[in-house]
Amino acid sequence: HLYAKITDLELTSADIVAQTASQCFDISVWQFLAALVVGGRVHFIDDDTARDPERLLTQIQETQISILETVPSLLPSILDVSETSAYAQLQSLKWLIVTGEAFPIDLCQRWLRAGTSIPVMNAYGPTETTILKFFHFVKPDDVEKPSIPIGKPVNGAAVMLINSRGQLCREETVGEIHIKTPYRSHGYYGEPELTKEVFIQNPFNNDPSDIIYKTGDFGRLLKGGDLEFLGRRD
């Protein structure tokens, strides 16, 4: 996961990653370590600042943070401070990463309409399969699509979309997202039944060691191979 982040975000020793996530949250792992692996820096942002758009913007500008990860629901609050000044204060950013929630089309339009040159990565990945497993670099024409894609699997991961009849889905057909990767958890501590329910043997071969994770999320593969997230099963 760390090397996927380093490669895809082109992290170098010049980068400063904002540590915004609680240590109880999976994305904190890459925020702690990825920049350090390449000789960069991590800037710790306390919880009160992370939740206060004005203070967060000021800290980003003062410390010249280059990588910021946030949930999409925080972006409107940042932009409401003042779109003009907000973008000016964000100019040190090399990447804005949105994750943890669906990235609404109208919010993406608002970001792009302001003319910022800061690129956005839309990322997706359950904790059970080691944080991020898909990402998509947002393009201007994405706002013409039904939703912002979550992209293609990172190295070491594959996606399987399985319909209610247990069949693999064709392109543009909706199915439940299953993730195949050797980099996954072994299950839920003290909950063997739940583990058995979602960490299942790959139904398309007879290898009992080939375990895939049943996410409970719906999606479909778009033309070109990008995955579109369509919501939770429940």
Side-chain angles (χ1 to χ4, degrees):
H1 177 78
L2 292 178
Y3 283 115
K5 274 293 201 312
I6 290 166
T7 301
D8 297 324
L9 297 177
E10 299 179 340
L11 295 183
T12 72
S13 59
D15 282 305
I16 304 173
V17 174
Q19 173 64 51
T20 55
S22 160
Q23 294 94 321
C24 301
F25 191 32
D26 60 354
I27 65 172
S28 69
V29 176
W30 91 264
Q31 290 181 358
F32 279 136
L33 298 175
L36 302 184
V37 171
V38 293
R41 287 188 287 157
V42 179
H43 182 78
F44 289 83
I45 296 179
D46 64 81
D47 290 345
D48 290 339
T49 299
R51 290 191 290 262
D52 184 324
E54 291 190 36
R55 290 171 62 183
L56 178 60
L57 288 169
T58 298
Q59 198 156 122
I60 290 170
Q61 185 177 38
E62 288 178 350
T63 58
Q64 292 294 286
I65 286 167
S66 60
I67 312 290
L68 176 67
E69 185 170 34
T70 183
V71 291
S73 55
L74 183 63
L75 274 187
S77 299
I78 291 174
L79 297 178
D80 286 342
V81 173
S82 168
E83 294 206 8
T84 302
S85 65
Y87 286 124
Q89 289 172 288
L90 290 171
Q91 285 308 305
S92 65
L93 290 185
K94 186 168 80 174
W95 285 104
L96 173 69
I97 305 169
V98 290
T99 188
E101 304 165 354
F103 188 24
I105 288 285
D106 58 347
L107 181 56
C108 184
Q109 288 175 326
R110 184 178 174 188
W111 178 267
L112 295 174
R113 271 200 307 264
T116 176
S117 59
I118 301 163
V120 180
M121 171 192 275
N122 189 28
Y124 166 86
T127 303
E128 291 88 343
T129 57
T130 320
I131 326 177
L132 176 146
K133 276 293 171 282
F134 301 82
F135 68 86
H136 174 72
F137 298 130
V138 176
K139 302 183 290 294
D141 62 357
D142 285 330
V143 297
E144 307 300 325
K145 299 172 182 176
S147 64
I148 305 298
I150 56 175
K152 299 178 177 67
V154 299
N155 287 339
V159 62
M160 302 169 70
L161 290 177
I162 302 176
N163 64 24
S164 58
R165 298 185 298 278
Q167 301 167 326
L168 285 173
C169 296
R170 298 190 301 272
E171 193 176 83
E172 301 282 354
T173 304
V174 177
E176 186 171 350
I177 300 170
H178 293 66
I179 298 175
K180 177 180 170 66
T181 178
Y183 312 115
R184 58 171 178 79
S185 74
H186 294 291
Y188 301 110
Y189 180 73
E191 298 193 54
E193 291 304 313
L194 180 58
T195 297
K196 185 177 179 181
E197 180 183 335
V198 298
F199 291 93
I200 64 173
Q201 181 181 330
N202 185 342
F204 302 102
N205 66 41
N206 296 317
D207 181 0
S209 66
D210 187 3
I211 303 298
I212 60 176
Y213 174 64
K214 184 177 182 180
T215 66
D217 294 334
F218 286 117
R220 62 178 175 176
L221 284 175
L222 305 174
K223 292 179 180 177
D226 282 326
L227 184 63
E228 180 184 21
F229 171 79
L230 297 172
R232 291 285 300 166
R233 183 180 60 203
D234 54 8

